[in-house]
């Protein structure tokens, strides 16, 4: 009886709501992370903070909210369902969402402030609305008809947008709409970014306003030289034959021009980009006085980047600086022109780390603004009055992101002031005047919380504290939440590899647990981060796996010596490092080395196949989703950047970097998954793999998703694919040998 009473007493101390995660709950509403915020912006007058937030009944349907600094309260400003009750998306909008990885979202996905802070420009499903912040219930539709990439001009006189491959402006004084380009049709596009620019160069727009509203620089491209790929998009009830101009490695790219147009008169001029037409037009920016247009021109081999200034009055040009690399020049968005003097900030990795430099407008280097054995991520804001530039970086911990302040005079170049305080992950957005910033912070145990801060890091007000209290969606699972451990290992060349590990529920060091390894492994990505969000890893750990991920050489936010290792031989060193992690796990007393499963998507899917080819003796089973199997099938900019040339120039490098030359080592259980309408990693990658494995007599499991693009992003499909992965690992890893 005493034992029973003690047991009852012990149980009474446990939270009544303690539950473990389920896949159904992970993919249901409301979001487990709480009422999160996206696209944080501070109004020009600093009195409002606006953001996008999912609805309680549909976390993927976004509305526009504001936090009023004076009233210290938040409320929904614009209801997306009121603007457009039922969305119908154009083909252009669908393609843009796929490139931006927002295909799963609906409602308001972007917005912008007018310069006077009185209005908001809100696009939704091809329609364009102006919202008076004092009368948000009376939005004014100003354009429709498959409108994309809308902007309010810097002085606020115009609204600009692209419709049917042409650039338009709407004069807000007169209400008159003007079509600035007329030849956009067929293969000719105006004021848009081409496919590889959107997908690989972080180029979200194809036109750029002068700061005084006097002109617009825009990209004009002709995709006629780009080969047409005929894709079968297989849906549940039909098959569409889609002709897509897709520039595979070694193929011709678009022919690109840079144009200038007056929004008032429509007068157009062409800027000479040089004799070599096989280039990438990477960026265009304006000097603060609008007298110079500055563009970035990248060579086809991506080993040279020129920053060129154009005198707008005469079109005379001068190369301000040139970046070169033996591997590739990394692109960024960190150029900033100062208003207080003729100078600009420029980010470069020439030292082996990404740092900021100050130049005058003639291209003369004045001094470094940052330096040392660390690098910045990006420029967040420039406060010229205070003489500061704000950046984010992982200077203090590779797996963290913090906000720092640097002095423009270079006096703090190797000793920046850390602004954000808590260890973990910070995403900051500054007001134009630099007087406040909004920070979203999280760590593996704290869902994202957002506050308004002063530049010294002191809190002004919580926008969303997001405490894990009884009203939080995750509270029921809080007591079962498992901690994430961070650590380091050494690569074969001695470089440091960072890993994250979650031990199973009710961990017993004397037991031998199966392992779930999730990876990406490719460039431009850091997978091990001290932040909230690895819900599926948490779920798998609660199912009894050791959940593990490691960032191999080639991963992002590290020194160039760490990233450049992969150049010319994709898959080799990345696989070595992932196997280093698996071998280390196999030596841990609590791991069963015969029950290791591996999962990756996209580049991670490619890595999964290469992992099995090199280490089937260490891996029981693996899931490869949407893998690249032959890099000759992937696009020009990405592939040639890392493989180091075209298939015709270096055929052996392409053969060794793909998967087909290595499939003889693939012995473990494999589940192959691909969307049947993928326009990024074409479905052909998997059909060729299927054919090869069949010829080799290799048995494997296969799942294809009708109508699905690269992200297999429909909610039902997401729930299904992760249920499929869970079941596959349960059968072939968790229960292996039983």
């Amino acid at each position: 009886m005493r034992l029973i009473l003690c047991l009852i007493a012990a149980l009474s101390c446990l939270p009544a709501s303690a539950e473990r995660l389920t896949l159904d709950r992970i993919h249901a509403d409301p979001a487990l992370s709480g009422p999160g915020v996206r696209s944080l912006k501070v109004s020009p007058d600093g009195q409002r903070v606006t953001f996008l937030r999912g609805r309680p009944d549909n976390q993927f349907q976004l509305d526009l909210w504001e936090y009023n600094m004076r009233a210290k309260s938040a409320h929904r400003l614009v209801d997306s369902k009121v603007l457009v009750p039922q969305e119908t998306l154009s083909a252009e909008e669908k393609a843009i969402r796929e490139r931006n990885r927002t295909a799963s979202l609906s409602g308001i996905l972007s917005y912008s402030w007018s310069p006077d802070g009185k209005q908001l420009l809100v696009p939704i499903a091809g329609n364009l609305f102006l919202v008076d912040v004092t009368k948000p219930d009376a939005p004014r539709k100003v354009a429709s008809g498959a409108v994309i990439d809308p902007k309010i001009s810097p002085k606020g006189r115009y609204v600009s947008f692209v419709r049917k491959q042409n650039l338009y402006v709407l004069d807000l004084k007169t209400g008159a709409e003007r079509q600035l380009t007329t030849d956009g049709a067929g293969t000719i596009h105006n004021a848009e970014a081409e496919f590889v620019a959107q997908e690989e160069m972080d180029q979200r727009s194809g036109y750029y306003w002068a700061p005084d509203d006097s002109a617009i620089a825009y990209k004009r491209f002709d995709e006629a030289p780009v080969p047409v790929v005929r894709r079968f998009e297989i849906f549940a009830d039909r098959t569409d034959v889609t002709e897509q101009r897709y520039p595979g490695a070694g193929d011709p790219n678009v022919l690109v021009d840079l144009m200038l147009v007056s929004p008032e008169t429509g007068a157009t001029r062409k800027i000479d980009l040089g004799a070599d037409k096989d280039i990438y037009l990477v960026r265009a920016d304006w000097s603060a006085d609008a007298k110079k247009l500055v563009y970035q021109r990248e060579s086809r081999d991506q080993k040279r980047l020129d920053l060129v200034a154009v005198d707008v009055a005469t079109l005379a040009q001068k190369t301000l600086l040139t970046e070169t690399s033996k591997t590739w020049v990394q692109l960024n968005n960190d150029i900033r022109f100062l208003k207080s003097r003729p100078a600009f900030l420029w980010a470069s990795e020439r030292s082996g780390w990404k740092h900021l430099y100050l130049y005058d407008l003639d291209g003369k280097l004045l001094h470094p603004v940052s330096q040392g054995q660390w690098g910045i991520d990006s420029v967040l804001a420039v406060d010229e009055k205070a003489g500061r530039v704000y950046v984010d970086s992982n200077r203090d911990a590779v797996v963290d992101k913090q906000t720092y302040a640097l002095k423009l005079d270079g006096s703090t170049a190797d000793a920046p002031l850390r602004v954000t305080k808590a260890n973990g992950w910070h995403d900051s957005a500054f007001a134009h005047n630099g007087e406040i910033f909004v920070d979203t912070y999280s760590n593996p145990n704290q869902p994202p919380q957002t506050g308004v801060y002063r530049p010294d890091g002191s809190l002004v007000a919580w926008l969303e504290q997001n405490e894990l209290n009884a009203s939080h969606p995750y509270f029921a699972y809080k007591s079962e939440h498992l901690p994430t451990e961070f650590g380091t290992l050494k690569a074969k060349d001695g470089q440091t590899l960072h890993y994250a590990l979650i031990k199973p529920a009710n961990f017993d060091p004397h037991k031998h647990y199966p392992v779930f390894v999730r990876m990406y492994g490719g460039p431009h990505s850091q997978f091990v981060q001290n932040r909230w969000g690895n819900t599926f890893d948490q779920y798998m750990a609660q199912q009894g796996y050791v959940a593990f991920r490691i960032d191999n050489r080639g991963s992002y936010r590290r020194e160039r010596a760490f990233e450049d290792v992969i150049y010319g031989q994709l898959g080799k060193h990345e696989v070595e490092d992932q196997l280093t992690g698996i071998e280390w796990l196999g030596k841990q007393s609590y791991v069963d080395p015969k029950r290791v499963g591996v999962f990756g998507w996209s580049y991670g899917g490619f890595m999964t196949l290469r992992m099995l080819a090199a280490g089937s003796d260490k891996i029981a089973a693996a899931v490869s989703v949407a893998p690249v199997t032959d890099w000759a099938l992937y696009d020009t900019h990405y592939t040639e950047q890392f493989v180091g040339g075209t298939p015709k120039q270096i055929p052996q490098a392409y053969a060794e970097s793909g998967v087909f030359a290595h499939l003889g080592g693939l012995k473990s259980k494999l589940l192959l998954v691909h969307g049947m309408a993928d326009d990024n990693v074409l479905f052909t990658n998997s059909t060729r793999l299927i054919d090869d494995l069949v010829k080799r007599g290799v048995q494997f499991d296969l799942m294809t998703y009708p109508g699905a693009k690269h992200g297999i992003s429909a909610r039902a499909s997401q729930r299904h694919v992760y249920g499929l992965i869970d079941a596959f690992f349960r059968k072939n890893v968790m229960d292996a040998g039983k």
Side-chain angles (χ1 to χ4, degrees), residues 53-276:
R53 170 175 283 172
R55 302 165 76 94
D57 61 340
N58 183 355
Q59 58 185 287
F60 300 105
Q61 173 87 28
L62 305 183
D63 296 324
L64 179 59
W65 286 61
E66 78 155 9
Y67 179 87
N68 190 288
M69 296 293 291
R70 290 175 178 167
K72 297 195 180 328
S73 63
H75 66 278
R76 184 166 62 185
L77 193 67
V78 182
D79 186 330
S80 60
K81 287 287 190 182
V82 170
L83 290 184
V84 178
Q86 187 66 41
E87 294 184 24
T88 301
L89 301 181
S90 66
E92 294 86 353
E93 178 67 20
K94 289 179 181 178
I96 289 172
R97 293 190 181 194
E98 190 65 29
R99 302 285 78 76
N100 293 343
R101 308 298 188 259
T102 56
S104 63
L105 301 176
S106 58
I108 302 170
L109 272 61
S110 64
Y111 66 94
S112 54
W113 277 100
S114 63
D116 60 8
K118 295 181 180 179
Q119 296 186 101
L120 286 157
L121 185 65
V122 180
I124 178 170
N127 301 287
L128 197 54
F129 295 87
L130 273 174
V131 177
D132 186 327
V133 293
T134 64
K135 303 174 184 176
D137 294 331
R140 178 164 62 102
K141 183 186 286 190
V142 295
S144 60
V147 168
I148 62 173
D149 195 18
K151 301 176 185 179
I152 298 181
S153 63
K155 292 297 183 181
R157 178 176 173 180
Y158 301 98
V159 166
S160 55
F161 53 86
V162 178
R163 181 197 287 139
K164 295 182 179 179
Q165 300 173 210
N166 284 299
L167 179 62
Y168 291 76
V169 291
L170 175 70
D171 191 321
L172 293 179
K173 289 183 179 179
T174 65
E177 182 180 289
R178 176 189 291 272
Q179 183 175 342
L180 297 179
T181 65
T182 57
D183 61 343
T187 62
I188 304 296
H189 295 253
N190 291 292
E192 296 181 49
E194 71 272 28
F195 173 86
V196 293
Q198 293 182 48
E199 186 66 42
E200 313 299 358
M201 292 185 264
D202 194 28
Q203 197 175 122
R204 299 293 176 238
S205 181
Y207 71 97
Y208 314 87
W209 272 100
D212 62 357
D213 282 11
S214 62
I216 303 174
Y218 69 92
K219 177 183 283 192
R220 178 189 181 276
F221 67 85
D222 183 356
E223 58 182 353
V226 180
V228 175
V229 175
R230 298 180 75 245
R231 291 189 296 106
F232 292 92
E233 294 196 347
I234 303 172
F235 294 82
D237 57 352
R238 70 185 192 279
T239 298
D240 293 344
V241 179
T242 300
E243 292 191 347
Q244 176 184 354
R245 292 193 180 269
Y246 187 98
D251 287 339
N253 281 311
V254 301
L255 293 172
V256 63
D257 292 312
L258 181 59
M259 313 293 289
L260 277 173
V261 64
S262 165
E264 188 169 2
T265 67
T268 303
R269 294 178 291 165
K270 180 178 177 180
I271 294 169
D272 184 4
L273 296 179
D276 185 1

Side-chain angles (χ1 to χ4, degrees), residues 15-63:
S17 58
E19 298 180 36
R20 288 191 179 174
L21 288 170
T22 66
L23 291 179
D24 283 337
R25 181 59 191 91
I26 289 172
H27 294 277
D29 296 308
L32 284 172
S33 58
V37 299
R38 300 168 179 257
S39 301
L40 284 157
K41 297 182 182 181
V42 182
S43 63
D45 60 7
Q47 295 304 308
R48 292 177 169 87
V49 176
T50 45
F51 53 93
L52 302 178
R53 170 175 283 172
R55 302 165 76 94
D57 61 340
N58 183 355
Q59 58 185 287
F60 300 105
Q61 173 87 28
L62 305 183
D63 296 324

Side-chain angles (χ1 to χ4, degrees), residues 341-606:
R341 54 174 165 156
F344 66 93
L345 288 165
W346 176 257
S348 169
E349 294 182 321
R350 66 186 64 147
S351 70
W353 301 83
K354 183 180 177 183
H355 282 301
L356 274 181
Y357 301 86
L358 189 67
Y359 283 82
D360 69 17
L361 288 186
D362 290 322
K364 178 185 176 182
L365 175 62
L366 301 177
H367 56 258
V369 177
S370 67
Q371 63 186 18
Q373 300 299 299
W374 62 284
I376 72 162
D377 290 330
S378 60
V379 173
L380 299 173
V382 179
D383 184 349
E384 294 186 56
K385 184 177 179 181
R388 286 184 170 185
V389 55
Y390 294 94
V391 300
D392 45 20
S393 171
N394 59 356
R395 183 180 190 271
D396 294 331
V398 168
V399 299
D400 283 11
K401 182 160 79 166
Q402 304 288 344
T403 300
Y404 298 84
L406 289 155
K407 291 188 177 179
L408 287 171
D409 63 11
S411 60
T412 60
D414 55 0
L417 172 68
R418 179 166 153 179
V419 176
T420 46
K421 308 302 182 185
N423 294 334
W425 198 268
H426 296 263
D427 285 306
S428 298
F430 279 75
H432 291 301
N433 58 16
E435 293 181 0
I436 60 171
F437 72 96
V438 184
D439 177 58
T440 298
Y441 164 75
S442 74
N443 64 45
N445 302 313
Q446 171 60 56
Q449 49 185 188
T450 304
V452 182
Y453 295 82
R454 299 180 183 88
D456 62 2
S458 59
L459 179 68
V460 176
W462 283 113
L463 195 153
E464 181 56 70
Q465 192 169 2
N466 206 19
E467 291 182 293
L468 270 175
N469 54 31
S471 63
H472 195 282
Y474 197 74
F475 181 74
Y477 311 95
K478 179 180 178 181
S479 63
E480 295 292 326
H481 184 83
L482 302 168
T484 300
E485 302 174 14
F486 294 94
T488 60
L489 301 174
K490 290 293 183 182
K492 286 186 176 181
D493 64 359
Q495 295 199 73
T496 300
L497 309 173
H498 288 261
Y499 71 79
L501 182 148
I502 306 175
K503 291 177 179 174
N506 303 316
F507 177 71
D508 182 345
H510 301 294
K511 289 185 176 181
H512 297 87
Y513 294 96
V515 176
F516 170 72
V517 178
R518 187 172 186 176
M519 62 184 168
Y520 180 76
H524 299 156
S525 177
Q526 182 188 30
F527 222 44
V528 179
Q529 299 176 340
N530 187 13
R531 68 190 301 184
W532 180 267
N534 296 332
T535 315
F536 189 65
D537 288 25
Q538 181 70 212
Y539 166 81
M540 294 296 276
Q542 291 184 15
Q543 300 304 302
Y545 297 87
V546 174
F548 182 82
R549 54 176 65 192
I550 188 169
D551 277 333
N552 49 255
R553 283 169 294 172
S555 299
Y556 209 34
R557 303 184 78 223
R558 296 292 298 274
E559 65 275 23
R560 282 305 296 262
F562 186 87
E563 296 180 20
D564 285 349
V565 170
I566 68 172
Y567 183 73
Q569 45 189 353
L570 294 185
K572 181 178 186 296
H573 297 291
E574 303 100 298
V575 167
E576 286 179 357
D577 294 346
Q578 292 290 335
L579 290 177
T580 293
I582 289 175
E583 289 164 2
W584 174 81
L585 284 167
K587 296 175 183 176
Q588 307 310 302
S589 61
Y590 53 85
V591 165
D592 182 349
K594 294 183 179 180
R595 291 191 293 159
V596 175
V598 173
F599 160 52
W601 197 307
S602 194
Y603 198 101
F606 157 74

Side-chain angles (χ1 to χ4, degrees), residues 303-318:
K303 295 181 179 181
R304 179 187 176 101
L305 179 73
D306 295 315
L307 182 68
V308 184
V310 181
D311 185 297
V312 175
T314 66
L315 298 190
Q317 301 190 39
K318 178 182 180 180

